[in-house]
Amino acid sequence: MFHDFKELYFIMKNIVKKLIKKKLKISFAESCTGGLLAASITSINGASKIFNIGLITYSNQAKIDILKVNKNVIKKYGAVSAECCEAMVKNLAKISKAQINVSVTGIAGPNGGTKKKPVGLVYIGVKRSNKIVITKNIFKQKTRNSIQKASVERALDIVSSLI
């Protein structure tokens, strides 16, 4: 799964090409990746034809205010949960009107993890039409940056499989 930069660039280029061909738009709601997903897609020539919105809803308050995630979902399950990830992607789809929407929420570390929710736990949600895929990922990388990069790679792999 962990691609080198050349391979990742090829995957991103391929995604942009496929989205252009199918006239599909894509949007992102990112938390632990801090905009890295949007930056990776917009680094590809032609991305302006397919990229719609990138929201970095890092704080719980931003998730509530901007993405309209119900505060009770965050209270009950936490911001790093399948439930929050699903609410993020569903509400992003309403805001963005894009055909493909992606949400990412997790713990990139090096601190902030618990036994139940360790550093490296990342939920990725992808909504394409009425299909929603929520994946729970536990990345074993050691650094914050490598967990963020692994999250972006995984999200791109899921998007690629759905277009």
Short mmCIF file of all heavy atoms in Angstrom, two decimals, residues 12 16-17 19-20 24-26 38-52:
data_model
loop_
_atom_site.label_atom_id
_atom_site.label_comp_id
_atom_site.label_asym_id
_atom_site.label_seq_id
_atom_site.Cartn_x
_atom_site.Cartn_y
_atom_site.Cartn_z
N MET A 12 -2.50 9.87 -8.37
CA MET A 12 -3.23 11.13 -8.33
C MET A 12 -3.55 11.62 -9.75
O MET A 12 -4.66 12.07 -10.02
CB MET A 12 -2.42 12.21 -7.59
CG MET A 12 -2.29 11.91 -6.11
SD MET A 12 -1.43 13.19 -5.17
CE MET A 12 0.14 13.33 -5.99
N VAL A 16 -7.30 12.24 -11.34
CA VAL A 16 -7.71 13.49 -11.98
C VAL A 16 -8.18 13.22 -13.41
O VAL A 16 -9.24 13.71 -13.82
CB VAL A 16 -6.57 14.55 -11.94
CG1 VAL A 16 -6.91 15.76 -12.80
CG2 VAL A 16 -6.29 14.97 -10.50
N LYS A 17 -7.43 12.40 -14.13
CA LYS A 17 -7.79 12.07 -15.51
C LYS A 17 -9.15 11.38 -15.59
O LYS A 17 -10.00 11.72 -16.41
CB LYS A 17 -6.71 11.16 -16.14
CG LYS A 17 -6.25 11.69 -17.48
CD LYS A 17 -5.37 10.82 -18.34
CE LYS A 17 -4.46 9.84 -17.72
NZ LYS A 17 -3.30 9.48 -18.51
N LEU A 19 -11.59 11.45 -13.35
CA LEU A 19 -12.65 12.37 -12.93
C LEU A 19 -13.01 13.34 -14.06
O LEU A 19 -14.18 13.63 -14.29
CB LEU A 19 -12.25 13.13 -11.67
CG LEU A 19 -12.16 12.29 -10.38
CD1 LEU A 19 -11.56 13.11 -9.25
CD2 LEU A 19 -13.51 11.73 -9.97
N ILE A 20 -11.99 13.83 -14.77
CA ILE A 20 -12.24 14.74 -15.90
C ILE A 20 -13.04 14.01 -16.97
O ILE A 20 -14.05 14.53 -17.47
CB ILE A 20 -10.91 15.29 -16.49
CG1 ILE A 20 -10.26 16.27 -15.50
CG2 ILE A 20 -11.15 15.98 -17.84
CD1 ILE A 20 -8.84 16.69 -15.86
N LEU A 24 -16.78 14.30 -13.24
CA LEU A 24 -17.12 14.22 -11.82
C LEU A 24 -16.30 15.24 -11.03
O LEU A 24 -15.15 15.51 -11.36
CB LEU A 24 -16.83 12.81 -11.28
CG LEU A 24 -17.60 11.65 -11.90
CD1 LEU A 24 -17.06 10.32 -11.38
CD2 LEU A 24 -19.09 11.78 -11.62
N LYS A 25 -16.92 15.76 -9.99
CA LYS A 25 -16.23 16.69 -9.08
C LYS A 25 -15.94 15.96 -7.77
O LYS A 25 -16.68 15.06 -7.37
CB LYS A 25 -17.11 17.90 -8.78
CG LYS A 25 -17.41 18.74 -10.01
CD LYS A 25 -16.49 19.93 -10.06
CE LYS A 25 -16.93 20.89 -11.14
NZ LYS A 25 -15.79 21.49 -11.79
N ILE A 26 -14.88 16.40 -7.10
CA ILE A 26 -14.49 15.79 -5.82
C ILE A 26 -14.27 16.89 -4.79
O ILE A 26 -13.83 17.99 -5.13
CB ILE A 26 -13.23 14.91 -5.99
CG1 ILE A 26 -12.99 14.04 -4.74
CG2 ILE A 26 -12.00 15.74 -6.36
CD1 ILE A 26 -11.99 12.91 -4.96
N ALA A 38 -6.13 17.63 -0.10
CA ALA A 38 -6.46 18.66 -1.09
C ALA A 38 -5.19 19.13 -1.81
O ALA A 38 -5.19 19.29 -3.04
CB ALA A 38 -7.16 19.84 -0.42
N ALA A 39 -4.11 19.31 -1.06
CA ALA A 39 -2.85 19.76 -1.66
C ALA A 39 -2.33 18.72 -2.66
O ALA A 39 -1.81 19.08 -3.72
CB ALA A 39 -1.81 20.02 -0.57
N SER A 40 -2.49 17.44 -2.33
CA SER A 40 -1.98 16.41 -3.23
C SER A 40 -2.75 16.39 -4.55
O SER A 40 -2.15 16.26 -5.61
CB SER A 40 -1.99 15.03 -2.56
OG SER A 40 -3.31 14.57 -2.39
N ILE A 41 -4.05 16.56 -4.50
CA ILE A 41 -4.86 16.52 -5.72
C ILE A 41 -4.65 17.80 -6.53
O ILE A 41 -4.55 17.76 -7.75
CB ILE A 41 -6.35 16.24 -5.39
CG1 ILE A 41 -6.98 15.15 -6.22
CG2 ILE A 41 -7.25 17.41 -5.67
CD1 ILE A 41 -6.59 13.84 -6.39
N THR A 42 -4.52 18.94 -5.84
CA THR A 42 -4.35 20.20 -6.57
C THR A 42 -2.93 20.38 -7.11
O THR A 42 -2.68 21.31 -7.87
CB THR A 42 -4.74 21.43 -5.72
OG1 THR A 42 -3.95 21.45 -4.53
CG2 THR A 42 -6.22 21.41 -5.36
N SER A 43 -2.03 19.48 -6.75
CA SER A 43 -0.68 19.53 -7.33
C SER A 43 -0.67 18.98 -8.75
O SER A 43 0.33 19.10 -9.46
CB SER A 43 0.31 18.74 -6.45
OG SER A 43 0.07 17.35 -6.58
N ILE A 44 -1.77 18.40 -9.17
CA ILE A 44 -1.88 17.80 -10.51
C ILE A 44 -2.50 18.81 -11.48
O ILE A 44 -3.53 19.41 -11.19
CB ILE A 44 -2.75 16.51 -10.48
CG1 ILE A 44 -2.21 15.51 -9.46
CG2 ILE A 44 -2.87 15.90 -11.87
CD1 ILE A 44 -0.84 14.97 -9.71
N ASN A 45 -1.86 18.96 -12.62
CA ASN A 45 -2.37 19.83 -13.68
C ASN A 45 -3.76 19.34 -14.10
O ASN A 45 -3.96 18.15 -14.30
CB ASN A 45 -1.40 19.79 -14.87
CG ASN A 45 -1.82 20.75 -15.95
OD1 ASN A 45 -2.36 21.82 -15.68
ND2 ASN A 45 -1.58 20.37 -17.19
N GLY A 46 -4.71 20.26 -14.22
CA GLY A 46 -6.07 19.90 -14.62
C GLY A 46 -7.01 19.72 -13.44
O GLY A 46 -8.21 19.54 -13.62
N ALA A 47 -6.47 19.80 -12.22
CA ALA A 47 -7.30 19.58 -11.02
C ALA A 47 -8.43 20.61 -10.91
O ALA A 47 -9.48 20.31 -10.34
CB ALA A 47 -6.44 19.62 -9.76
N SER A 48 -8.24 21.79 -11.49
CA SER A 48 -9.28 22.82 -11.38
C SER A 48 -10.58 22.38 -12.06
O SER A 48 -11.65 22.88 -11.73
CB SER A 48 -8.80 24.14 -11.99
OG SER A 48 -8.49 23.95 -13.36
N LYS A 49 -10.50 21.42 -12.97
CA LYS A 49 -11.70 20.92 -13.64
C LYS A 49 -12.53 19.99 -12.74
O LYS A 49 -13.71 19.79 -12.97
CB LYS A 49 -11.32 20.16 -14.92
CG LYS A 49 -10.73 21.03 -16.00
CD LYS A 49 -10.43 20.18 -17.24
CE LYS A 49 -9.83 21.03 -18.33
NZ LYS A 49 -8.37 20.91 -18.36
N ILE A 50 -11.88 19.41 -11.75
CA ILE A 50 -12.56 18.37 -10.95
C ILE A 50 -12.62 18.65 -9.45
O ILE A 50 -13.42 18.07 -8.75
CB ILE A 50 -11.91 16.97 -11.17
CG1 ILE A 50 -10.40 16.98 -10.86
CG2 ILE A 50 -12.13 16.52 -12.59
CD1 ILE A 50 -10.03 16.50 -9.52
N PHE A 51 -11.76 19.55 -8.95
CA PHE A 51 -11.71 19.79 -7.51
C PHE A 51 -12.69 20.90 -7.15
O PHE A 51 -12.66 21.97 -7.73
CB PHE A 51 -10.29 20.16 -7.08
CG PHE A 51 -10.17 20.37 -5.60
CD1 PHE A 51 -10.33 19.30 -4.72
CD2 PHE A 51 -9.91 21.61 -5.07
CE1 PHE A 51 -10.22 19.48 -3.35
CE2 PHE A 51 -9.80 21.81 -3.70
CZ PHE A 51 -9.95 20.74 -2.85
N ASN A 52 -13.54 20.62 -6.17
CA ASN A 52 -14.58 21.57 -5.81
C ASN A 52 -14.25 22.32 -4.52
O ASN A 52 -14.01 23.51 -4.54
CB ASN A 52 -15.92 20.84 -5.70
CG ASN A 52 -17.10 21.77 -5.71
OD1 ASN A 52 -16.97 22.92 -6.12
ND2 ASN A 52 -18.23 21.31 -5.25
#
